[in-house]
Amino acid sequence: MSLSPLFVEKAFGDLPGWDDDDHSAAFAAFRRSAFHVLTKPYRSGALGVDFDAFADAYAEARTVSPANRPPVSTRGEARAFFERHFVPALIPAENAGAGLVTGFYEPQVEASPVRTDRFSVPLLSRPADLVDIDESNRPAGLDPYLAFARQTPAGPVEYPDRGEIERGALDGKGLEIAWLADKVDAFFIHVQGAARLAMTDGRLARVTYAAKSGQRFTGPGKILSEMGEIPLEKVTMQSIRAWFKAHPDRVDEILWQNRSYIFFRPADVEDAALGPIAAAKVPLMPGRSIAVDRLLHTFGTPFYIDAPTLTAFDAKPFRRLMIAQDTGSAITGPARGDLFAGSGDAAGEIAGVVRNAADFYALIPRALVAGAVR
C-alpha cells in the first residue's frame, strides 16, 4: 500500500498554535489505542497510512506514563513524542476549500428499566434475525448500500425501517434495554450512537451502538431546511429540538423520513470522565477524540485540527491535536471530522453548534513519509 499523493508535507512550525496545545491530553488518548492494538490491529485506510507503520510509536507509548510527571514536562515530552514519530501533512478537502468539523457527544437522560405511563419509548437491543451483509451473502436485487438485513428462510431481505419499527414491527421480542420519556431524546441518542442513562432505580448505566437497520441516514435538519421550516445556516441540534417542541404533532412525520434505526447494547460506565467505547474500541476522550472516514483513514492516526472560527470548546480558536477513534455514516471525505465534546447536557450544548471550516493535518508515521508526500 502506497501513501496517497493527496497529503502535502508540512513542518510542525507550519501548524497554527501547535506550540500552545496540550499535547499530553492527546497522548493520553493515543496511548489507549496503543494498548488496544495489542489485541486487534486497526485496518489501514485507503489513503495509505499503513497501520504497521505505527509500531514504534505505539511501543514507546506503552512504556511511558506522562500522567505521573509534572504538567510542564508532561506537555513538553508529549509534544516531543509526536514530533519524533510523525510528520504533519495537510489534507486538502475534496472541493479544494477548507475541511469541515462538526461535533458529537454522549447524551445523558433519565430512563426506566420497565415501561410505565411516563417512560414508554424503548431503546432496543440487536434482534436475532438481523445479519451483517457484504458481497459474500448479498442477494441479487438487495440495495448495495445495505450492510444489514433480516434473515428469512428465503434469504436476507431489507430490515424494517424506523417508521415500521416504531409502529410495532419488533414488539413482543423482548429487545427493550430501557425506556425513555421522550421520543426526540431517543432519536438524538440514535444520532449520537451512545448514551448514559440515569435509571429510576438509582443506577448510572450506558448504552452504546450495536447495529442498525441499514437504511440511509437522513438528518431532520436537512428535511426541515428543505421544507423551509429552519434556514440551513440556522440548523443546529438546539434549533431542531426547539422546532419539535413547538410541533409535537409532527415529530413522527419528520423522524420517520430518516429510515435508519439504531440498536444498542448495554455497557458499563467505568470512568465518568471518558465517553463510550467507540469504533476504535477505546473509550472516547472529550476534546481529544475525533470521528473520521474509516474507509480513508486509519484509526489511531493523530490529526491536528485548525478551526479558527470554532470557539465553543473553550472560548478560544480551536487548534488541537486529536486522535482518530471513531467514525460515522455522515463522516465522509478526507478532510471531514466529528469532534467528541463529552457527556451530558453541557457537552451537548457544545456539540450541537459545531459546524466550522477547518484545516486538517494528519500526523503520518515518519517511516511512510520519505519521498512519499508532496
Side-chain angles (χ1 to χ4, degrees):
M1 176 181 290
S2 59
L3 196 63
S4 169
L6 185 69
F7 295 109
V8 181
E9 185 175 351
K10 299 289 182 178
F12 281 101
D14 296 328
L15 277 54
W18 171 257
D19 290 347
D20 300 324
D21 191 24
D22 181 4
H23 304 85
S24 64
F27 180 86
F30 182 83
R31 192 166 182 263
R32 291 188 186 93
S33 284
F35 279 98
H36 167 75
V37 299
L38 290 173
T39 303
K40 185 174 182 180
Y42 293 138
R43 181 179 64 187
S44 299
L47 293 183
V49 178
D50 189 349
F51 165 78
D52 290 336
F54 288 86
D56 289 346
Y58 280 149
E60 182 177 334
R62 289 192 291 265
T63 69
V64 177
S65 182
N68 296 328
R69 301 179 181 179
V72 173
S73 63
T74 295
R75 293 177 67 161
E77 289 169 2
R79 187 182 80 179
F81 169 87
F82 287 111
E83 292 180 353
R84 184 164 59 253
H85 286 283
F86 298 96
V87 174
L90 178 67
I91 309 173
E94 291 177 307
N95 59 4
L100 174 68
V101 289
T102 49
F104 72 112
Y105 76 113
E106 181 185 36
Q108 179 166 321
V109 299
E110 191 177 5
S112 170
V114 296
R115 180 170 186 163
T116 68
D117 289 343
R118 179 185 172 199
F119 295 98
S120 60
V121 181
L123 298 176
L124 301 183
S125 60
R126 178 172 180 156
D129 61 354
L130 181 70
V131 296
D132 292 20
I133 293 292
D134 56 29
E135 297 318 306
S136 67
N137 65 343
R138 184 182 306 279
L142 188 68
D143 184 344
Y145 176 86
L146 297 175
F148 296 90
R150 175 175 240 163
Q151 187 63 57
T152 73
V157 298
E158 183 175 340
Y159 213 79
D161 66 9
R162 173 174 298 277
E164 293 171 303
I165 291 171
E166 293 190 354
R167 290 190 294 270
L170 300 181
D171 287 359
K173 295 183 178 295
L175 301 176
E176 296 83 2
I177 298 173
W179 300 85
L180 309 186
D182 186 81
K183 179 174 287 190
V184 175
D185 282 344
F187 176 79
F188 279 103
I189 290 172
H190 282 225
V191 172
Q192 303 301 327
R196 293 186 189 182
L197 306 179
M199 304 298 290
T200 54
D201 59 12
R203 293 178 295 121
L204 181 62
R206 170 178 273 152
V207 292
T208 190
Y209 172 89
K212 57 185 177 180
S213 59
Q215 295 88 359
R216 289 166 178 80
F217 175 86
T218 305
K222 179 177 185 292
I223 295 168
L224 291 171
S225 173
E226 291 176 347
M227 293 171 61
E229 297 288 339
I230 303 177
L232 181 60
E233 67 274 11
K234 294 185 177 180
V235 170
T236 64
M237 182 181 70
Q238 289 86 340
S239 66
I240 294 169
R241 280 187 174 275
W243 191 93
F244 283 140
K245 186 174 181 179
H247 302 86
D249 57 323
R250 299 184 65 186
V251 170
D252 288 341
E253 170 197 340
I254 303 302
L255 294 188
W256 289 351
Q257 292 185 58
N258 173 49
R259 301 183 63 214
S260 176
Y261 188 92
I262 305 300
F263 301 103
F264 298 92
R265 60 178 178 83
D268 294 329
V269 183
E270 296 179 355
D271 185 340
L274 298 176
I277 293 175
K281 306 305 181 186
V282 295
L284 298 176
M285 185 172 183
R288 294 294 170 175
S289 294
I290 185 171
V292 297
D293 187 335
R294 72 178 303 174
L295 298 180
L296 299 178
H297 297 299
T298 304
F299 283 154
T301 300
F303 284 85
Y304 190 73
I305 305 298
D306 176 25
T309 64
L310 172 55
T311 58
F313 276 78
D314 54 10
K316 298 186 297 184
F318 190 93
R319 292 178 168 125
R320 291 192 189 182
L321 185 61
M322 312 285 287
I323 308 300
Q325 293 177 323
D326 201 5
T327 191
S329 58
I331 310 303
T332 60
R336 176 73 174 90
D338 214 12
L339 311 175
F340 180 62
S343 304
D345 292 343
E349 289 299 310
I350 295 172
V353 298
V354 177
R355 188 175 182 85
N356 297 78
D359 287 332
F360 282 65
Y361 299 88
L363 269 58
I364 299 172
R366 287 189 175 274
L368 296 176
V369 173
V373 295
R374 291 182 283 144

